[in-house]
């Protein structure tokens, strides 16, 4: 999520892009958060459900020994702060199983978010954003997550909770179920955003998207954004960026260490992905390790990769507005107390070819 770029040569001038008061106001609003520097942490090697296509249970990290020592975590958080980290993403396998560690992290590092399946409520004293993963209706959750009445449990735990954002992951199979899910979430004051299933390395199962399912996903995202603008944290450009035939790396050039050898600036220098044993490995470090980079359309990846590409979005006003909408969305999803504004651009623009092709 680090926002880092230089403006470089661009047409029109940057001052001209800021001529409209609402554009200037949005730029001033989002730039206050350019200080965010993230790293991610696997809190546990256990989960209370088991989902098809879960990237945590791929690769080496799932075998890391769990460290349940709160003092060790406190020391880690202090060391992270000392090296400039200002934002933590607490994830894999299931963070709600270790509330004592979440508490310590929050005491040391007050900005962050937790990725959870929502089955077990995280204590309200932990004031991070909480991302609750939804993979379809309850029938589908039972089939692919082996979890009964999952959405009902998630809503019971997190309705009207200002920390909570329900993250609907579109797979190839659940596109039509999203309306039913939204109809259940909206009356309970639940905020909704979207993710796109990104295959773990080697996964070729039925959840993997194809061109047709990506197109339908995009249409459904935009329709829901129009239907529930107050409760859907998203923009047209989010939909475009995450459902393109090409993945995020091809479109924007991923800046996480796993795809970025440079250690000079930005994520390539600062980002670490700690496993449950508190070790990390630069060669595999990104926010969704063991995901197939060619199929990566993950919302967490986009929050860093797209936001970092300011320079690719300053060639015209529609592109710049779309980038502002994307950053505004990402901050509303990831930062406590940040309120999403009205989207500035409702026309789909083409992503810039910053990765070159
Ligand atoms: S999986 Fe996504 S975020 Fe991770 S390195 Fe590959 S492209 Fe980047």
């Amino acid at each position: 999520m680090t926002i880092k770029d230089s403006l470089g040569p661009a047409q029109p001038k940057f001052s001209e892009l800021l001529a409209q008061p609402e554009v200037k106001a949005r730029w001033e609003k989002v730039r206050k958060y350019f200080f965010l520097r993230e790293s991610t942490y696997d809190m546990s090697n256990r989960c209370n459900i088991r989902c098809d296509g879960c990237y945590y249970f791929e690769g080496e990290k799932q075998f890391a020994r769990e460290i349940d020592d709160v003092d060790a975590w406190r020391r880690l958080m202090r060391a992270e702060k000392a090296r400039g980290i200002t934002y933590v993403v607490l994830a894999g396998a299931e963070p709600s199983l270790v509330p004592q560690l979440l508490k310590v992290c929050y005491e040391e590092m007050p900005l962050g978010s937790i990725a959870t399946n929502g089955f077990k409520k995280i204590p309200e004293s932990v004031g991070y954003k909480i991302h609750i993963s939804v993979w379809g209706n309850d029938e589908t959750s039972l089939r692919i997550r082996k979890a009964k009445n999952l959405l009902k449990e998630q809503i019971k735990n997190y309705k009207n909770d200002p920390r909570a954002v329900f993250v609907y992951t579109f797979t190839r199979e659940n596109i039509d179920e999203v309306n039913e899910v939204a109809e259940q979430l909206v009356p309970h004051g639940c905020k909704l955003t979207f993710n796109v299933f990104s295959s773990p390395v080697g996964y070729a199962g039925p959840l993997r998207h194809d061109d047709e399912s990506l197109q339908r996903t995009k249409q459904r995202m935009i329709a829901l954004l129009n239907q529930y603008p107050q409760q859907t944290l998203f923009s047209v450009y989010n939909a475009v960026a995450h459902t393109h035939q090409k993945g995020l790396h091809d479109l924007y050039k991923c800046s996480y260490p796993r795809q970025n050898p440079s250690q000079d600036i930005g994520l390539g220098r600062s980002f670490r992905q700690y496993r449950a044993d508190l070790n990390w490995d630069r060669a595999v470090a990104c926010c969704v390790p063991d995901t197939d980079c060619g199929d990566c359309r993950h919302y967490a990846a986009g929050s860093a990769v797209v936001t970092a590409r300011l320079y690719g979005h300053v060639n015209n006003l529609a592109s710049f507005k779309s980038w502002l909408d994307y950053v505004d969305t990402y901050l509303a999803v990831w930062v406590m107390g940040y309120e999403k504004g009205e989207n500035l651009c409702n026309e789909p623009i083409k992503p810039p070819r910053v990765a070159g092709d």
Side-chain angles (χ1 to χ4, degrees), residues 249 254 256 258-259 286-288 291 293 296 301:
H249 179 53
C254 175
Y256 282 103
R258 192 174 149 209
Q259 279 288 359
C286 82
C287 61
V288 281
T291 296
C293 292
C296 179

Side-chain angles (χ1 to χ4, degrees), residues 221-292:
M221 288 170 163
I222 294 172
L224 280 169
L225 176 59
N226 291 331
Q227 192 174 351
Y228 304 113
Q230 300 304 320
Q231 281 174 258
T232 307
L233 303 175
F234 218 61
S235 74
V236 169
Y237 190 49
N238 282 72
V240 168
H242 287 266
T243 61
H244 198 278
Q245 206 176 16
K246 294 186 175 205
L248 292 169
H249 179 53
D250 284 340
L251 289 177
Y252 300 98
K253 197 170 181 198
C254 175
S255 25
Y256 282 103
R258 192 174 149 209
Q259 279 288 359
N260 174 14
S262 168
Q263 298 190 42
D264 296 342
I265 54 164
L267 285 174
R269 182 171 61 83
S270 61
F271 181 84
R272 294 179 182 175
Q273 196 272 321
Y274 286 89
R275 297 171 176 187
D277 61 6
L278 308 189
N279 288 311
W280 71 285
D281 177 357
R282 190 177 194 284
V284 295
C286 82
C287 61
V288 281
D290 297 302
T291 296
D292 174 356

Side-chain angles (χ1 to χ4, degrees), residues 129-279:
K129 273 288 185 191
I130 296 182
H131 293 179
I132 302 143
S133 62
V134 184
W135 284 43
N137 63 20
D138 276 352
E139 201 180 313
T140 296
S141 291
L142 182 59
R143 186 165 49 81
I144 65 172
R145 310 185 78 180
K146 325 290 181 284
K148 211 171 173 186
N149 297 327
L150 183 55
L151 189 61
K152 289 186 189 71
E153 287 298 315
Q154 292 168 325
I155 292 172
K156 189 180 88 190
N157 286 336
Y158 289 106
K159 65 183 171 190
N160 294 316
D161 188 328
R163 300 174 302 170
V165 178
F166 288 71
V167 182
Y168 189 91
T169 293
F170 282 93
T171 71
R172 198 170 78 211
E173 292 192 327
N174 71 4
I175 298 165
D176 297 332
E177 293 168 29
V178 69
N179 286 40
E180 173 190 339
V181 169
E183 280 164 21
Q184 290 182 64
L185 291 175
V186 165
H188 293 288
C190 302
K191 290 273 171 42
L192 176 66
T193 194
F194 303 126
N195 184 27
V196 175
F197 178 76
S198 304
S199 302
V201 173
Y203 177 87
L207 307 182
R208 191 181 182 107
H209 279 283
D210 57 23
D211 292 352
E212 187 271 341
S213 69
L214 288 170
Q215 275 305 312
R216 283 202 297 126
T217 296
K218 180 167 73 179
Q219 288 159 7
R220 204 51 76 102
M221 288 170 163
I222 294 172
L224 280 169
L225 176 59
N226 291 331
Q227 192 174 351
Y228 304 113
Q230 300 304 320
Q231 281 174 258
T232 307
L233 303 175
F234 218 61
S235 74
V236 169
Y237 190 49
N238 282 72
V240 168
H242 287 266
T243 61
H244 198 278
Q245 206 176 16
K246 294 186 175 205
L248 292 169
H249 179 53
D250 284 340
L251 289 177
Y252 300 98
K253 197 170 181 198
C254 175
S255 25
Y256 282 103
R258 192 174 149 209
Q259 279 288 359
N260 174 14
S262 168
Q263 298 190 42
D264 296 342
I265 54 164
L267 285 174
R269 182 171 61 83
S270 61
F271 181 84
R272 294 179 182 175
Q273 196 272 321
Y274 286 89
R275 297 171 176 187
D277 61 6
L278 308 189
N279 288 311

Side-chain angles (χ1 to χ4, degrees), residues 54-66:
C54 173
Y55 72 83
Y56 183 79
F57 291 102
E58 289 294 328
E60 288 296 312
K61 62 189 178 305
Q62 62 182 308
F63 305 112
R65 187 173 57 94
E66 197 172 305

